[in-house]
Amino acid sequence: MFTGIDSSMPNVKRKFTLSQTMAAQKRNAGIASAMVARASLNDEELKMHVYKKTLQALIYPISSTTPHNFQIWTATSPTYCYECEGLLWGIARQGVRCTECGVKTHEKCKDLLNADCLSRAAEKSSKHGADDKAHSIIMTMKDRMKTREKNKPEIFEAIRKVFSVDKKSHAGHMKAVKQSVLDGTSKWSAKLAITVICAQGLIAKDKSGTSDPYVTVQVGKTKKRTKTVLQDLNPVWNEKFYFECHNASDRIKVRVWDEDDDFKSRLMSKFNRESDDFLGQAIIEVRTLSGEMDVWYNLEKRTDKSAVSGAIRLHISVEIKGEEKVAPYHVQYTCLHENLFHYLCEEAGGSVKLPVVKGDDAWKVYFDDTAQEIVDEFAMRYGIESIYQAMTHFSCLSSKYMCAGVPAVMSTLLANINAYYAHTTSNTAVSASDRFAASNFGKEKFVKLLDQVHNSVRIDLSMYRNNFPASNPEKLQDLKSTVDLLTSITFFRMKVQELSSPPRASQVVKDCVKACMKSTYQFLYENCDELYQREFQTDATEKEQQQQAQQKESGQGQDGQDGGPSIKSLDFWPKLISLIISVIEEDKNSYTLVLNQFPQELHVGQVSAELMWTLFSVDMKYALEEHEQHKLCKSIDYMNLLFKVKWLYNKYVADVPPYKGTIPEYPGWFEPFVLQWLGENDDVSLEYLHSAYDRDKKDGFQQTAEHSLFSASVVDVFTQLNQCFDVIKKLECPDPNILNCYMRRFAKTINKVLLAYADLVRRDFPRLTSREKTACILMNNIQQLRVQLEKVFESMGGNDLDPEAANILKELQSKLSGVLDELASMFANSLELKIQGSVQELGALLAKVKGGGNVALSKPSDRQNVSHEADMVLRPLMDLLDGSLSLYAQMCEKTVLKRLLKELWRIVIHSLEKSVVLPPLTDPGSNLPLLLSNTAKIEDVSRLFLNHVSGKQQVSFLELSKEAEKNLTPRQCAVLDMALDTIKQYFHAGGSGLKKTFLDKSPELQSLRYALSLYTQTTDTLIKTFVNTQTSQDQPSSEDPVGEISIQVDLFTHPGTGEHKVTVKVVAANDLKWQTTGMFRPFVEVNLVGPHLSDKRRKHTTKSKSNNWSPKYNETFHFILGNEEDPDAYELHFCVKDYCFAREDRLLGVAVMQLRDIVEQGSCACWCALGKRVQLDETGWTILRILSQRSNDEVAKEFVKLKSECRGQEDVVV
């Protein structure tokens, strides 16, 4: 019943991996179906132009330009700074001058010059006719380009291969490029259209807290100015200026000023061309311009002392001579970057070769050294911003984002792009969205790109188990980076695009995880058998056996043909649970550690456990509902499945937030099956019980061990029950209502089994009472049932147990206690004959105790004599008890011993009362057969005595006095009383037996002591007790009346002395039922019964009336009560008799009136029914017996005769 139940956890040590779909395999190869189209890869015209521009940038790169050779210089005439156009003023050493190209500038402005000194010198020499110097400079530039080509051949070879140019054409292009560099800028010209749109966040220079800004734009020597916007820190101008530029090394100088129209400003303008406050500047290289640009430029400082903030927005349109139809430099850079990226990916076999770099600027390195130098020099030459480079590389990587390591690079790139636009500096007030809108990459283009990446990432995260298998550490790292990329996209939307509520990355990832979990569960459910064999069954024999079992099952019906769930088997569900646990373990141990970016919002292991359980619980519930209708499987199989479901829930689901602290539903699914198992356990338990009991009985109910007082069958029964309860405990049912249901059902099982055991013991016990040791063991068995039942009760919950189950067990405990009492009584009754024999011997010895009068126990001598006589009298009883009780003390458990002692105590005391204190009225051969019964008490003796005497014609005082000869003397009472103390001490046994309080309060001892106490009371006390206790003496008159008399009673109390007086008037008698052959002369005898009447008149009689069955008397009598007692202690006893001459009068009937009934009214006139006798209880007859012994007491003799007299037989009339 229990060996088939497996409550252990399943083996889930194996890693679990789902089969990859074709779509997943394509994604793993880096094929993206929704990426931005790469148009530049197919535009041959653009590619050729970019090829030439790249060669030009690389043959004489900006990074290799000749720096200026500045020296401190003293002007001999007023000279202005080439950079800021301010006056070089001072007495001497006004500024610095380049010895090569001759440019003059302030010391503070020399770092702002960005032109190549050598190129500038060649241009200047050719313009001024210095041909020799120009030729020298040109030769120097040629040497540099040759050295460059010689030292970096790999660069030019890489450019050739990227743009697929043959070597011959490449050589011609290289020659042409070199010549164009030597020609310099003399043949270069461009038209510029610059629109000053607006500015934001300018610094306040006026005392009013504002500024009056205007803008100057200078190209070469040409400077133009906007209008002034008064008192505005966010001015708007929208003014357009046109310039012509003939030097590619020129720069556009955009400066913002605060106009001041005061005396100080006018004075300063005489010495310095800058009379207004400087608000900031933006320096733009002309060579970096192409096409149209709408850009925000942060305003920069001119010196360290400058206070600058804000940004200015410019729209610049450039038309370069000879390049009017060519794309802008940003588009050209995109073409270069994309073609270079595509070429390198093809060289790497379709994967992306990522550079290994470290540092804060590592994100700006996109390729290995050669390719990186190509893009950097191009960007430097043509003014491509580093952020544009990053966005372009991000676009390229998006087509390969599933390749190893790419998600991490994309995430880093996007994070830095976010930082560039969102983390605005303190000196600019331009919003992130505005800065992004002015991006040269194109706002819509990049947003569309991010949307496509975001969608693809969501799709792939929804299949993360396929795309990023836990067995591949590199893929796990890519998974983490993919989530980082998703987070960066969310941050971009929120901070850069400034969307109000973009989808949270944590929620997106959580949704993807859930989607993956749903598809995973569906895959597990549909391919459970195949997956389980692949993952867990390595033994070929085990696989074969499993397949045979499935084929056999599938042959019985349609259910389960594909290894799915079946109503005829439960094998599917443990397999599914094992697979589910494998998935949860993998999510918990692998994916949770990777997807840890949102610790407060996403725990993959918990989400996996939650969703898997939710999906599993729906299928499991419906399946069990169907099983409940058919119940084709064994209950033990359902129990095993329950343990596996419980372990799944407790191990993985119980602490998941949605379920934590809630009561799960799964116990309700299995409730009918657990109850079915418990029901089947009833039959198994009973069968096991009978087998264990029969085996124990065959062995003679031997003790299980030396110190164990019970036999093996009790141990076997509770071993079986405890096994059943252990199963219930291991269920750990979290639903208290269902647990209570289990407990109620199990309580019924316990009740049925233990009562069945008790019935078996009760059946066999009467035959085994003669074998005292065996009888004790059987009683101990019942007690052990009670002890073990109490332990089971506590283990089931104790006071917290379901009330119904608790009541079942409590009632069972009470029933077992009753069975134990019954067995103890049965065993004790088997000893009654022996006890009665000993008590009779005790009575005989007590009868030999001589001596009359009262005994003074206060005297040591009298007490010692009485004690000695008590020991002598008790010897027969003690000899019997010593032998038996010693054996019982050894063989019985303490509780059993006490119950047995109680029964023996009852029998001993009853026997003493029956045989010694109140012996039978006649000899054993008389008509009182029940006197020898072990249940006879004082009341039994009295009742039998009444029946005995009432059957005679008439009972005389002499006859009763003969029975009184068996009564005890005062000395015998004293001896017996002391003997009772000894017996009581013996049964107490120094605390190991019965409690003294029990012994003292036992009704048997109280009855015996009461009987003994009556022997020592005075006659008045006994008569008073009789009057107070005998309140139903008239009962025979109501049951069988023999006539009635009319009386009137008046009660008087003397106001001075308090003496009471009773006046009785006998009015008449009526309907006297009496037959006689002679003269009928009825008269009424009135007796006053009560204490303290020995010296007072107690009886009056009326005159007799001849042959009248309804005589009238009208006679009044007076009784004096005295003042010792209240009238409640007295009664009137009326006797109607037939007067007979020369013989004793015959009694017709009696009636009794107790004065307590008329005390309140003071008088009473009524008809009293006559009965054949008075009705006495055990106390009344005991008092009569005791008083009948007092032959010298006239009051006693008269009272006994009066109360014991009854109507005799009537004459037979012929």
Side-chain angles (χ1 to χ4, degrees):
M1 185 67 187
F2 305 101
T3 54
I5 295 180
D6 181 14
S7 60
S8 62
M9 66 183 71
N11 182 11
V12 291
K13 295 181 180 178
R14 288 179 170 269
K15 285 279 186 179
F16 179 74
T17 307
L18 295 180
S19 298
Q20 293 185 347
T21 62
M22 182 63 68
Q25 293 170 357
K26 289 182 178 180
R27 291 190 179 279
N28 288 340
I31 299 176
S33 59
M35 292 296 101
V36 179
R38 311 301 174 194
S40 64
L41 298 178
N42 301 318
D43 191 340
E44 297 298 332
E45 181 181 358
L46 176 62
K47 289 170 62 177
M48 182 53 63
H49 182 78
V50 172
Y51 163 71
K52 295 177 183 179
K53 283 292 183 180
T54 305
L55 290 179
Q56 185 177 349
L58 269 295
I59 195 65
Y60 194 79
I62 292 293
S63 59
S64 300
T65 56
T66 305
H68 292 283
N69 185 18
F70 286 113
Q71 291 184 355
I72 297 175
W73 173 76
T74 300
T76 58
S77 61
T79 306
Y80 293 91
C81 176
Y82 180 82
E83 173 62 27
C84 68
E85 299 183 355
L87 178 66
L88 296 175
W89 59 283
I91 299 175
R93 307 167 66 92
Q94 296 95 336
V96 294
R97 176 177 178 274
C98 179
T99 59
E100 296 295 332
C101 64
V103 67
K104 308 175 186 66
T105 183
H106 289 109
E107 177 75 21
K108 64 182 180 179
C109 295
K110 67 179 183 179
D111 293 334
L112 297 177
L113 291 176
N114 198 26
D116 178 19
C117 178
L118 188 60
S119 176
R120 183 181 180 85
E123 179 184 352
K124 185 176 180 181
S125 298
S126 62
K127 287 182 179 180
H128 290 80
D131 295 332
D132 294 338
K133 187 174 182 179
H135 180 72
S136 175
I137 294 174
I138 288 173
M139 292 305 295
T140 302
M141 293 178 68
K142 283 184 178 182
D143 292 340
R144 290 191 177 184
M145 286 187 286
K146 288 181 180 180
T147 303
R148 172 75 173 172
E149 187 176 7
K150 179 180 179 179
N151 293 339
K152 296 285 187 178
E154 69 276 5
I155 293 179
F156 300 100
E157 181 64 17
I159 296 173
R160 185 188 70 79
K161 291 181 178 180
V162 167
F163 291 98
S164 302
V165 179
D166 60 87
K167 293 184 177 180
K168 183 177 180 181
S169 300
H170 177 68
H173 289 305
M174 287 290 291
K175 184 176 181 181
V177 166
K178 292 176 184 177
Q179 185 60 43
S180 67
V181 172
L182 293 175
D183 290 343
T185 59
S186 58
K187 298 179 181 181
W188 186 91
S189 65
K191 294 181 179 180
L192 304 179
I194 302 174
T195 303
V196 181
I197 300 175
C198 62
Q200 287 187 357
L202 300 179
I203 192 170
K205 288 291 187 177
D206 295 342
K207 294 180 180 180
S208 60
T210 60
S211 295
D212 303 320
Y214 67 92
V215 178
T216 61
V217 181
Q218 180 179 351
V219 178
K221 299 297 181 179
T222 306
K223 179 188 290 186
K224 297 184 179 182
R225 178 187 189 279
T226 67
K227 63 182 179 182
T228 302
V229 179
L230 300 178
Q231 297 183 351
D232 195 343
L233 299 180
N234 300 299
V236 176
W237 293 284
N238 283 320
E239 295 188 36
K240 191 173 185 178
F241 305 103
Y242 297 93
F243 299 91
E244 287 189 4
C245 181
H246 300 282
N247 193 335
S249 62
D250 280 348
R251 294 187 294 175
I252 301 173
K253 302 171 185 177
V254 181
R255 293 187 173 94
V256 185
W257 307 89
D258 172 36
E259 185 177 63
D260 292 321
D261 188 16
D262 53 12
F263 174 76
K264 179 180 177 181
S265 300
R266 289 191 293 271
L267 180 63
M268 286 293 295
S269 64
K270 300 295 183 181
F271 302 97
N272 191 342
R273 294 183 182 181
E274 300 176 359
S275 60
D276 296 328
D277 294 330
F278 178 73
L279 298 181
Q281 68 179 4
I283 307 299
I284 306 167
E285 296 286 345
V286 173
R287 59 180 169 77
T288 65
L289 303 177
S290 64
E292 294 190 6
M293 303 169 59
D294 189 337
V295 187
W296 281 95
Y297 292 98
N298 289 333
L299 296 177
E300 305 292 341
K301 295 181 180 181
R302 187 169 54 176
T303 64
D304 293 338
K305 296 181 180 180
S306 301
V308 175
S309 71
I312 187 169
R313 182 181 179 188
L314 303 176
H315 182 274
I316 304 175
S317 176
V318 182
E319 293 183 8
I320 302 175
K321 183 180 180 181
E323 298 182 6
E324 289 82 359
K325 297 182 180 180
V326 180
Y329 285 132
H330 288 87
V331 176
Q332 295 180 40
Y333 176 82
T334 301
C335 177
L336 171 64
H337 199 114
E338 288 180 353
N339 280 275
L340 185 59
F341 180 83
H342 179 69
Y343 170 78
L344 294 176
C345 287
E346 286 185 345
E347 289 290 316
S351 61
V352 179
K353 186 177 181 181
L354 301 174
V356 180
V357 289
K358 296 182 180 179
D360 294 339
D361 291 334
W363 63 279
K364 296 180 180 180
V365 180
Y366 313 118
F367 307 107
D368 289 340
D369 293 342
T370 300
Q372 185 66 33
E373 185 174 353
I374 293 174
V375 294
D376 284 346
E377 290 295 346
F378 189 96
M380 194 182 304
R381 168 71 66 179
Y382 302 113
I384 305 302
E385 308 91 341
S386 60
I387 194 64
Y388 185 91
Q389 288 182 271
M391 296 169 78
T392 302
H393 193 61
F394 182 87
S395 175
C396 293
L397 290 174
S398 64
S399 64
K400 298 285 186 179
Y401 84 96
M402 284 300 290
C403 293
V406 172
V409 177
M410 293 182 68
S411 175
T412 303
L413 279 174
L414 188 56
N416 284 278
I417 293 171
N418 289 338
Y420 177 82
Y421 288 112
H423 299 168
T424 56
T425 58
S426 59
N427 62 349
T428 179
V430 182
S431 65
S433 60
D434 289 341
R435 295 185 67 197
F436 175 63
S439 169
N440 289 313
F441 189 85
K443 174 183 177 182
E444 297 299 330
K445 177 182 177 182
F446 195 73
V447 169
K448 182 179 180 181
L449 173 66
L450 287 184
D451 290 343
Q452 292 172 338
V453 172
H454 189 271
N455 292 335
S456 296
V457 167
R458 289 187 62 176
I459 293 172
D460 290 312
L461 283 179
S462 298
M463 297 183 293
Y464 69 86
R465 195 175 301 280
N466 293 335
N467 297 325
F468 307 97
S471 58
N472 189 337
E474 294 181 356
K475 283 296 183 180
L476 286 180
Q477 187 59 39
D478 286 345
L479 173 60
K480 182 178 180 65
S481 301
T482 301
V483 175
D484 292 337
L485 173 60
L486 194 67
T487 305
S488 297
I489 294 175
T490 302
F491 185 86
F492 184 90
R493 290 174 170 178
M494 182 170 56
K495 296 297 184 179
V496 179
Q497 291 184 258
E498 296 182 351
L499 301 180
S500 58
S501 56
R504 295 174 57 86
S506 59
Q507 188 60 44
V508 172
V509 175
K510 192 171 184 179
D511 293 341
C512 292
V513 170
K514 288 183 176 181
C516 184
M517 285 298 101
K518 291 179 180 179
S519 60
T520 300
Y521 176 82
Q522 189 65 26
F523 185 79
L524 296 180
Y525 191 89
E526 294 174 354
N527 304 274
C528 179
D529 188 63
E530 177 185 354
L531 292 172
Y532 185 82
Q533 290 184 14
R534 188 184 75 191
E535 298 295 329
F536 296 103
Q537 293 182 351
T538 58
D539 188 358
T541 304
E542 184 180 358
K543 289 184 179 181
E544 184 178 353
Q545 292 175 354
Q546 184 73 15
Q547 291 174 356
Q548 291 177 357
Q550 289 180 355
Q551 290 174 1
K552 181 179 179 181
E553 180 186 345
S554 64
Q556 296 174 353
Q558 188 174 358
D559 285 336
Q561 286 184 354
D562 299 328
S566 167
I567 62 172
K568 299 177 182 178
S569 173
L570 296 173
D571 294 340
F572 170 82
W573 299 103
K575 295 178 183 178
L576 181 60
I577 290 174
S578 297
L579 295 174
I580 287 174
I581 291 173
S582 296
V583 171
I584 296 176
E585 282 286 346
E586 193 173 68
D587 285 326
K588 179 180 177 182
N589 299 326
S590 298
Y591 292 109
T592 300
L593 302 178
V594 175
L595 300 177
N596 58 357
Q597 293 91 333
F598 318 103
Q600 302 298 325
E601 302 176 55
L602 175 62
H603 188 285
V604 178
Q606 292 183 351
V607 174
S608 177
E610 173 195 351
L611 200 58
M612 282 291 181
W613 173 259
T614 301
L615 298 172
F616 171 78
S617 61
V618 173
D619 292 334
M620 185 82 262
K621 180 180 179 182
Y622 290 153
L624 289 176
E625 287 177 354
E626 189 174 2
H627 273 267
E628 184 181 359
Q629 297 175 4
H630 300 87
K631 291 186 178 178
L632 300 179
C633 302
K634 297 179 181 179
S635 60
I636 196 171
D637 294 335
Y638 293 109
M639 294 295 290
N640 285 327
L641 179 58
L642 170 56
F643 275 108
K644 287 180 173 57
V645 172
K646 181 211 75 171
W647 187 81
L648 169 63
Y649 183 87
N650 291 344
K651 177 73 174 178
Y652 299 100
V653 184
D655 293 330
V656 175
Y659 298 101
K660 189 174 184 179
T662 62
I663 297 176
E665 296 181 356
Y666 76 86
W669 311 337
F670 287 92
E671 181 181 3
F673 306 106
V674 177
L675 293 178
Q676 175 188 349
W677 178 80
L678 288 172
E680 295 172 0
N681 183 59
D682 281 1
D683 299 333
V684 174
S685 299
L686 289 174
E687 182 180 353
Y688 190 86
L689 161 69
H690 285 89
S691 142
Y693 184 83
D694 291 342
R695 186 169 55 251
D696 198 10
K697 181 179 179 181
K698 182 178 179 180
D699 295 338
F701 297 105
Q702 299 297 319
Q703 296 172 238
T704 56
E706 181 181 356
H707 302 290
S708 299
L709 301 178
F710 46 87
S711 63
S713 56
V714 176
V715 178
D716 294 340
V717 167
F718 272 96
T719 299
Q720 197 273 344
L721 289 176
N722 286 331
Q723 286 178 348
C724 178
F725 183 64
D726 284 343
V727 173
I728 297 177
K729 286 197 298 184
K730 288 180 180 179
L731 289 178
E732 298 173 351
C733 181
D735 191 327
N737 295 327
I738 296 178
L739 179 61
N740 290 338
C741 182
Y742 294 164
M743 290 302 179
R744 289 193 294 269
R745 186 61 189 83
F746 183 61
K748 294 177 181 179
T749 299
I750 296 174
N751 183 73
K752 183 182 294 186
V753 172
L754 297 192
L755 287 182
Y757 185 91
D759 290 340
L760 292 175
V761 173
R762 192 157 42 186
R763 179 196 68 189
D764 295 337
F765 192 79
R767 298 193 299 270
L768 300 173
T769 53
S770 59
R771 296 159 53 183
E772 293 184 340
K773 184 176 180 180
T774 303
C776 290
I777 291 178
L778 286 177
M779 289 189 290
N780 291 341
N781 285 355
I782 300 299
Q783 174 59 22
Q784 190 63 23
L785 290 184
R786 299 181 66 242
V787 173
Q788 294 300 325
L789 176 61
E790 187 65 28
K791 292 181 180 179
V792 172
F793 174 78
E794 291 298 328
S795 62
M796 290 174 67
N799 294 330
D800 297 329
L801 184 61
D802 175 68
E804 184 178 343
N807 289 336
I808 293 174
L809 297 183
K810 288 177 181 178
E811 290 177 5
L812 175 59
Q813 188 70 270
S814 177
K815 291 177 182 178
L816 292 178
S817 178
V819 170
L820 184 58
D821 288 337
E822 181 182 347
L823 297 181
S825 176
M826 197 182 303
F827 183 66
N829 290 339
S830 68
L831 304 173
E832 185 173 5
L833 291 177
K834 295 180 181 180
I835 294 174
Q836 284 184 352
S838 299
V839 170
Q840 287 176 0
E841 292 181 30
L842 181 149
L845 292 175
L846 183 63
K848 295 179 181 180
V849 175
K850 304 300 182 182
N854 294 327
V855 179
L857 294 179
S858 58
K859 293 181 180 181
S861 58
D862 287 353
R863 185 174 185 83
Q864 185 175 1
N865 292 334
V866 171
S867 176
H868 176 71
E869 291 172 347
D871 292 341
M872 179 191 67
V873 167
L874 281 175
R875 187 176 299 112
L877 182 60
M878 290 297 103
D879 291 342
L880 173 65
L881 295 179
D882 273 338
S884 299
L885 295 186
S886 299
L887 175 63
Y888 305 153
Q890 293 177 359
M891 295 303 302
C892 295
E893 292 188 1
K894 189 174 182 180
T895 302
V896 175
L897 178 61
K898 287 188 175 183
R899 292 178 184 246
L900 188 56
L901 288 176
K902 288 179 182 179
E903 294 298 325
L904 292 175
W905 167 263
R906 177 183 60 81
I907 293 175
V908 169
I909 299 303
H910 283 175
S911 299
L912 286 173
E913 182 180 342
K914 177 192 70 173
S915 302
V916 178
V917 180
L918 295 176
L921 293 177
T922 58
D923 59 83
S926 67
N927 294 326
L928 303 177
L930 293 179
L931 287 178
L932 295 180
S933 171
N934 60 348
T935 59
K937 296 183 179 180
I938 290 178
E939 58 269 27
D940 302 321
V941 176
S942 304
R943 189 175 300 108
L944 292 172
F945 173 72
L946 169 62
N947 295 336
H948 176 66
V949 298
S950 62
K952 298 181 179 181
Q953 257 188 346
Q954 192 171 3
V955 179
S956 64
F957 171 74
L958 179 60
E959 293 172 333
L960 190 59
S961 63
K962 290 179 180 180
E963 297 293 340
E965 292 178 358
K966 298 180 182 180
N967 291 336
L968 302 177
T969 65
R971 187 173 185 86
Q972 291 172 338
C973 288
V975 171
L976 187 57
D977 189 60
M978 187 166 289
L980 286 176
D981 290 337
T982 303
I983 295 173
K984 185 170 68 172
Q985 291 297 329
Y986 188 82
F987 274 89
H988 177 60
S992 59
L994 300 178
K995 293 182 179 180
K996 287 185 177 181
T997 53
F998 169 79
L999 296 172
D1000 292 335
K1001 295 181 179 180
S1002 64
E1004 295 80 13
L1005 181 61
Q1006 290 181 351
S1007 175
L1008 182 57
R1009 287 196 181 279
Y1010 179 71
L1012 286 174
S1013 68
L1014 294 178
Y1015 281 100
T1016 60
Q1017 291 182 9
T1018 63
T1019 300
D1020 288 338
T1021 302
L1022 291 174
I1023 292 175
K1024 182 180 177 182
T1025 301
F1026 183 93
V1027 173
N1028 289 333
T1029 58
Q1030 306 309 300
T1031 58
S1032 301
Q1033 298 180 59
D1034 282 336
Q1035 184 175 344
S1037 64
S1038 61
E1039 295 174 353
D1040 186 16
V1042 294
E1044 59 181 354
I1045 59 173
S1046 175
I1047 58 174
Q1048 181 177 340
V1049 181
D1050 296 303
L1051 180 62
F1052 302 96
T1053 301
H1054 193 281
T1057 62
E1059 188 177 53
H1060 305 290
K1061 179 181 178 182
V1062 178
T1063 301
V1064 181
K1065 181 178 181 181
V1066 180
V1067 180
N1070 183 39
D1071 193 19
L1072 298 177
K1073 296 179 180 178
W1074 184 254
Q1075 294 182 355
T1076 181
T1077 56
M1079 178 68 73
F1080 176 50
R1081 301 176 66 184
F1083 69 93
V1084 179
E1085 182 181 283
V1086 182
N1087 296 276
L1088 179 64
V1089 179
H1092 310 296
L1093 296 178
S1094 58
D1095 57 344
K1096 301 179 178 64
R1097 186 166 181 173
R1098 300 184 292 277
K1099 180 173 67 174
H1100 291 279
T1101 57
T1102 64
K1103 296 177 181 179
S1104 61
K1105 303 293 181 178
S1106 300
N1107 292 326
N1108 190 345
W1109 277 261
S1110 296
K1112 300 186 184 319
Y1113 299 102
N1114 290 316
E1115 296 185 34
T1116 302
F1117 310 104
H1118 302 282
F1119 295 97
I1120 303 300
L1121 305 184
N1123 56 6
E1124 292 87 349
E1125 296 287 347
D1126 290 333
D1128 292 352
Y1130 299 89
E1131 66 181 20
L1132 294 172
H1133 189 100
F1134 301 97
C1135 298
V1136 178
K1137 297 183 177 181
D1138 180 15
Y1139 174 77
C1140 297
F1141 179 74
R1143 59 184 174 86
E1144 189 175 1
D1145 299 330
R1146 294 189 296 179
L1147 180 66
L1148 274 70
V1150 296
V1152 178
M1153 175 182 288
Q1154 294 189 328
L1155 297 185
R1156 68 165 61 89
D1157 296 334
I1158 63 172
V1159 168
E1160 292 184 3
Q1161 294 86 357
S1163 63
C1164 176
C1166 62
W1167 285 90
C1168 294
L1170 300 174
K1172 294 181 180 180
R1173 57 179 175 82
V1174 293
Q1175 174 71 30
L1176 302 183
D1177 59 15
E1178 60 275 12
T1179 303
W1181 284 111
T1182 300
I1183 291 174
L1184 287 185
R1185 288 192 59 178
I1186 294 173
L1187 290 179
S1188 66
Q1189 186 185 10
R1190 301 178 183 182
S1191 56
N1192 296 327
D1193 189 337
E1194 292 297 328
V1195 175
K1197 291 167 59 177
E1198 181 182 317
F1199 176 79
V1200 171
K1201 181 179 179 182
L1202 181 67
K1203 292 298 181 180
S1204 60
E1205 191 175 17
C1206 63
R1207 174 171 169 157
Q1209 294 183 352
E1210 304 176 44
D1211 295 339
V1212 179
V1213 181
V1214 182

